[in-house]
């Protein structure tokens, strides 16, 4: 829930009475401290049980924290030490997702989980111009062209198609990544993913 707190704290609009509100800031900072304290030393997060470090918790964390950091970059301040701690925790989660073989193997089975890091890492690179993260992101997207997507065009979920995940979570992930990667060679790969998906969809939706 750090993202809605950050949205209202950082969004300067006439309809938003919570912009730069010190009480909202206090809630946001409490959530961010809790989030950092949840993380394992190797960058992974837990979702289903205490210390049950896994792919979905870690990759989803990068997606939503990417947008929180984007809001904080142009918004009113929070505690500077905490802000830097959150940035470091987000990078650690991104690096874990992009480099750990066990998480990538899980992504080959549940592609919607891993692809959260496309947008999360892209948001991070847009903010901090991190060449190491950029290179790893580009390579993993290239790897995923065949590892996460079938020759027929659907994205792998438990080794087969899943309408809900393919049309929901996975495309939410691609939409966020596209926002940051449009016009780049890596963005072109996302276009190719979508072309192959829509070709499969055109053949199967009427059936």
């Amino acid at each position: 829930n750090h993202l809605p707190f950050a949205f209202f704290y950082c969004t300067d609009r006439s309809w938003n009475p919570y912009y730069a509100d010190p009480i909202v800031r206090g809630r946001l900072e409490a959530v961010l401290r809790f989030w950092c304290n949840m993380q394992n030393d190797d960058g992974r997060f837990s979702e289903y049980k205490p210390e049950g470090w896994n792919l979905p918790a870690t990759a989803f964390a990068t997606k939503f924290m990417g947008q929180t950091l984007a809001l904080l970059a142009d918004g009113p301040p929070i505690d500077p030490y905490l802000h830097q701690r959150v940035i470091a925790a987000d990078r650690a989660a991104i690096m874990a997702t992009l480099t750990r073989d066990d998480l990538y193997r899980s992504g080959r089975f549940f592609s919607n989980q891993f692809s959260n890091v496309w947008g999360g890492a892209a948001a991070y690179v847009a903010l901090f111009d991190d060449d190491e993260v950029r290179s790893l992101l580009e390579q993993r997207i290239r790897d995923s062209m065949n590892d996460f997507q079938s020759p027929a065009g659907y994205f792998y979920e438990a080794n087969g198609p899943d309408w809900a995940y393919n049309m929901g979570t996975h495309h939410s992930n691609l939409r966020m990544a596209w926002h940051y990667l449009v016009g780049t060679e890596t963005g072109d790969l996302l276009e190719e993913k979508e072309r192959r998906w829509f070709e499969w969809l055109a053949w199967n939706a009427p059936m």
Side-chain angles (χ1 to χ4, degrees):
N1 63 359
H2 53 79
L3 183 52
F5 275 113
F7 176 80
F8 285 104
Y9 180 66
C10 297
T11 301
D12 187 7
R13 297 291 189 275
S14 60
W15 47 260
N16 180 22
Y18 304 108
Y19 173 71
D21 184 278
I23 295 177
V24 176
R25 171 178 168 168
R27 301 294 195 276
L28 173 60
E29 290 178 342
V31 170
L32 293 175
R33 289 191 187 94
F34 182 81
W35 183 79
C36 289
N37 291 337
M38 292 171 62
Q39 189 173 35
N40 191 29
D41 292 341
D42 62 13
R44 290 178 297 166
F45 280 92
S46 175
E47 180 180 13
Y48 304 123
K49 61 182 179 180
E51 299 185 2
W53 322 114
N54 61 21
L55 170 63
T58 307
F60 270 95
T62 71
K63 176 183 179 182
F64 295 108
M65 189 53 72
Q67 290 304 104
T68 288
L69 289 174
L71 288 165
L72 290 172
D74 297 320
I78 63 170
D79 176 81
Y81 171 78
L82 175 61
H83 196 166
Q84 291 303 310
R85 187 183 176 197
V86 171
I87 293 169
D90 185 41
R91 188 182 193 277
I94 291 168
M95 292 295 292
T97 306
L98 295 176
T99 61
R100 289 182 63 96
D101 289 339
D102 57 339
L103 299 191
Y104 190 77
R105 286 194 301 271
S106 295
R108 296 183 70 169
F109 199 65
F110 296 112
S111 65
N112 85 88
Q113 296 176 357
F114 196 99
S115 62
N116 281 275
V117 80
W118 301 157
Y124 181 90
V125 168
L127 289 169
F128 305 110
D129 195 26
D130 188 315
D131 287 338
E132 183 179 18
V133 172
R134 179 187 293 107
S135 178
L136 286 168
L137 172 63
E138 292 172 353
Q139 184 57 55
R140 280 309 198 193
I141 289 179
R142 290 185 183 279
D143 294 341
S144 77
M145 297 301 290
N146 294 320
D147 290 345
F148 291 1
Q149 192 168 9
S150 75
Y154 60 81
F155 300 105
Y156 288 124
E157 298 298 331
N159 291 331
D162 185 298
W163 287 95
Y165 279 119
N166 276 203
M167 299 184 74
T169 304
H170 203 103
H171 276 80
S172 172
N173 298 341
L174 290 174
R175 180 179 181 182
M176 178 177 172
W178 174 252
H179 173 79
Y180 292 102
L181 299 174
V182 59
T184 67
E185 291 185 8
T186 311
D188 292 343
L189 294 177
L190 298 182
E191 282 191 27
E192 175 60 16
K193 283 179 177 289
E194 288 289 77
R195 185 198 65 78
R196 291 163 55 184
W197 154 252
F198 280 114
E199 184 173 313
W200 181 84
L201 180 66
W203 282 104
N204 288 274
M207 298 179 66

